[in-house]
Amino acid sequence: MVSPAPHRTYDFVIAANRLPVDRQVKPDGTTTWRTSPGGLVTAMESVMRDREAAWVGWAGFPGEAPQPFDDGHLRLVPVGLSAEELTDYYEGFSNGTLWPLYHDVIVPPTFHRSWWNVYRTVNQRFADHVARVAAEGATVWVHDYQLQLVPAMLRDQRPDLRIGWFNHIPFPPVELFAQLPWRARILRGLLGADFVGFQRPDDARNFIRSCRAVLGATHKGDVVTWGGSDDGRSGAAPRSVRAAAVPISIDAQGFRDLADSPSVKARAQEIRESLGEPEVVLLGVDRLDYTKGIRHRLRAIGELLADGEISPPEVTFVQVATPSRERVEAYRTLREQIEGTVGRINGDFSHLGDTAVHYLHQSYPREEMAALFQVADVMLVTPLRDGMNLVAKEYVTARHDGGGALVLSEFTGAAEELKTAYLCNPHDIAGLKETILRAIRDDHEEKRRRMRSLRRQVRTYDVQVWAQDFLRALEVAPHRPPRSRRSISPMV
């Protein structure tokens, strides 16, 4: 699959926290690399298919980085991170400071100067790697909240580059963002890009308002202008940066083909039989994260069971909670709370052979997810805050048979597009219960009408369209950097 390759530069470079491959160590000690699952990898396949490109990212394990290598026509450039850097940069600043702050402070963020210092060091390392592999005038696409300083760091080294940045999570209102002690430096980092993309229009507006409030920037429409003497660089010219919504999507055709495969269909039938052939299967699929609203969802299910509105074996609820950040205390506490709630519900409402809640704390391959989606009569996607939530889009794509119903939180990016879903406020437990019951009890034709509209939306605006829209916006962004000849040192 992979082979070492000599140093060269590329006209298209992606920078993301992780490489698109996972290391596999065989019993004999040999190492191979396997393509990672996930929306970003799928999305980038469509834009890299007909071009040579480089991908800069962490290899997935602490210690010295492997040498750059080729995976087909894609150059993979690993960034080394020590165990201590992973603790401070990733678990600390990225997921202990930024993640809760950017998700409505559902849990309080933690501000440590030592975390910030390591975050800055790691971002500089990413920028250095990108600068070495980017050809003159190359297009660079930086991804997500872990790398918010990279655009400006890269701009300082390589003013010839065309730089875009995309945020996969929400961007908070200025009243929350202002809590961050390093707020100005984060914004300055992002304003090194030519185009910054967000999941929702509100996220782009929040970013623009923060630039105005924190930096004193001006804006006209979606173009922010800032710089000159205001940015602390003597003689620096003002920069104009466009900020707009470009919501991410899925590989709709690929996921439909997967769901339509004979093996997945057979597995779906096995799952339904193993659940006891209930009349209604409710399903939740989430990372085990406090933003996903799993506790609120379980409370609604518990009250529906207590009210007698649903009961096993006619109705059963399956909750898949993929392990996530289990070294972080808030996540360990969340797991204990959820598992305690599941135990109480099953103790009160399950019978021998008839389980009210099936709780699965493990990861599953895409094939198993596609089968579960086909089993689910009602899909519960009820985060308290989510940048997009691609599970919602995968569900409606998998249910191309016309069945199913999607209960969707208003506080997801997906709700901006999937307007015929059964929308809900997950904080309103009474309202959430009513929405779940409506999704169960509405007549078949009403549910089919809603699902047709949802599938049409996802099919029309798929991941390839998302990637093309982002790159088109980057190409026509208002400020084209000067191009100058420069020597680029080889990767060592």
Side-chain angles (χ1 to χ4, degrees):
M1 177 179 174
V2 298
S3 59
H7 173 75
R8 57 169 296 186
T9 59
Y10 296 81
D11 291 327
F12 187 71
V13 181
I14 296 163
N17 180 61
R18 285 290 303 270
L19 289 174
V21 293
D22 294 323
R23 184 179 67 164
Q24 307 290 311
V25 180
K26 295 181 178 180
D28 63 2
T30 59
T31 298
T32 60
W33 298 86
R34 183 180 64 184
T35 300
S36 306
L40 179 58
V41 175
T42 302
M44 293 299 97
E45 283 177 351
S46 66
V47 299
M48 297 184 298
R49 189 171 296 135
D50 299 320
R51 68 174 96 194
E52 290 190 334
W55 187 310
V56 176
W58 176 51
F61 52 89
E64 185 176 349
Q67 288 297 309
F69 58 91
D70 287 342
D71 178 9
H73 60 266
L74 179 62
R75 174 74 157 179
L76 300 180
V77 183
V79 177
L81 298 175
S82 68
E84 294 77 12
E85 287 173 332
L86 285 170
T87 297
D88 290 348
Y89 147 76
Y90 183 73
E91 295 175 2
F93 196 79
S94 294
N95 293 312
T97 301
L98 295 175
W99 181 269
L101 186 68
Y102 284 28
H103 286 85
D104 291 356
V105 193
I106 295 170
V107 302
T110 302
F111 304 118
H112 287 315
R113 283 173 289 179
S114 59
W115 289 358
W116 160 254
N117 289 333
V118 176
Y119 181 84
R120 188 173 53 188
T121 297
V122 170
N123 271 241
Q124 185 66 62
R125 191 174 304 153
F126 271 81
D128 293 344
H129 279 64
V130 173
R132 294 189 186 109
V133 297
E136 185 175 350
T139 294
V140 177
W141 191 348
V142 184
H143 287 271
D144 225 357
Y145 64 105
Q146 300 97 343
L147 303 179
Q148 292 180 99
L149 303 180
V150 167
M153 290 174 167
L154 191 55
R155 176 74 58 203
D156 287 342
Q157 296 186 63
R158 297 290 307 276
D160 59 298
L161 299 177
R162 194 73 165 159
I163 303 171
W165 178 82
F166 183 76
N167 196 35
H168 292 259
I169 67 173
F171 195 89
V174 64
E175 293 80 8
L176 294 180
F177 183 75
Q179 296 180 26
L180 186 64
W182 309 278
R183 59 198 184 185
R185 280 177 275 186
I186 290 290
L187 293 175
R188 290 172 186 163
L190 295 176
L191 289 172
D194 297 292
F195 174 68
V196 289
F198 299 90
Q199 300 281 24
R200 305 174 306 143
D202 279 351
D203 296 324
R205 287 190 285 267
N206 287 343
F207 171 76
I208 292 171
R209 292 188 189 110
S210 293
C211 290
R212 289 177 55 192
V214 175
L215 299 180
T218 60
H219 78 98
K220 184 175 182 180
D222 59 9
V223 176
V224 177
T225 300
W226 173 80
S229 60
D230 293 334
D231 69 0
R233 295 180 298 159
S234 176
R239 286 187 47 74
S240 294
V241 179
R242 183 173 175 232
V246 190
I248 196 171
S249 192
I250 66 168
D251 178 10
Q253 187 59 52
F255 201 78
R256 171 170 177 165
D257 291 344
L258 175 66
D260 206 33
S261 65
S263 61
V264 168
K265 286 181 173 295
R267 178 57 184 153
Q269 183 57 42
E270 290 176 0
I271 292 171
R272 195 163 199 109
E273 290 173 357
S274 70
L275 294 173
E277 295 284 1
E279 295 176 14
V280 177
V281 175
L282 309 174
L283 175 64
V285 174
D286 310 87
R287 279 192 311 105
L288 188 61
D289 192 287
Y290 49 76
T291 65
K292 300 301 183 181
I294 301 174
R295 288 175 295 188
H296 297 64
R297 190 183 310 155
L298 285 169
R299 181 177 174 188
I301 294 295
E303 290 189 11
L304 286 171
L305 288 162
D307 297 342
E309 298 284 3
I310 63 173
S311 62
E314 292 80 14
V315 179
T316 192
F317 175 45
V318 178
Q319 175 64 58
V320 177
T322 303
S324 174
R325 302 168 188 162
E326 296 197 307
R327 292 174 55 182
V328 179
E329 179 62 30
Y331 290 79
R332 291 197 297 267
T333 301
L334 175 66
R335 177 180 178 182
E336 292 170 1
Q337 292 171 343
I338 288 174
E339 292 179 353
T341 301
V342 169
R344 286 191 294 273
I345 291 174
N346 280 332
D348 291 340
F349 302 108
S350 295
H351 313 290
L352 286 174
D354 299 322
T355 304
V357 177
H358 300 262
Y359 174 73
L360 306 169
H361 180 249
Q362 51 193 288
S363 300
Y364 290 98
R366 286 169 60 81
E367 294 79 5
E368 188 77 357
M369 288 294 98
L372 278 167
F373 291 152
Q374 292 192 341
V375 171
D377 301 289
V378 179
M379 185 78 203
L380 305 181
V381 181
T382 59
L384 308 179
R385 172 63 72 194
D386 214 336
M388 175 52 63
N389 197 291
L390 296 179
V391 166
K393 295 186 175 185
E394 289 177 342
Y395 173 69
V396 300
T397 301
R399 293 307 306 260
H400 58 83
D401 58 347
L406 174 63
V407 174
L408 181 62
S409 166
E410 299 168 0
F411 305 116
T412 63
E416 300 272 342
E417 302 173 84
L418 305 182
K419 298 183 183 298
T420 59
Y422 291 88
L423 297 178
C424 68
N425 175 0
H427 298 277
D428 175 9
I429 301 301
L432 177 57
K433 289 163 58 180
E434 292 173 4
T435 306
I436 293 171
L437 289 177
R438 192 162 70 252
I440 293 173
R441 295 171 178 174
D442 265 358
D443 66 76
H444 186 62
E445 187 50 43
E446 169 64 11
K447 290 194 253 191
R448 288 181 66 88
R449 180 191 67 80
R450 288 174 178 262
M451 290 292 284
R452 276 197 302 268
S453 175
L454 298 176
R455 284 194 301 278
R456 184 166 55 248
Q457 169 63 34
V458 177
R459 185 174 62 248
T460 302
Y461 192 85
D462 65 4
V463 72
Q464 287 80 20
V465 175
W466 167 73
Q468 292 163 8
D469 283 356
F470 185 94
L471 292 175
R472 191 177 300 116
L474 175 57
E475 178 61 27
V476 301
H479 177 256
R480 182 173 292 278
R483 297 191 175 190
S484 59
R485 299 297 302 179
R486 58 180 285 123
S487 62
I488 303 173
S489 59
M491 178 72 66
V492 293

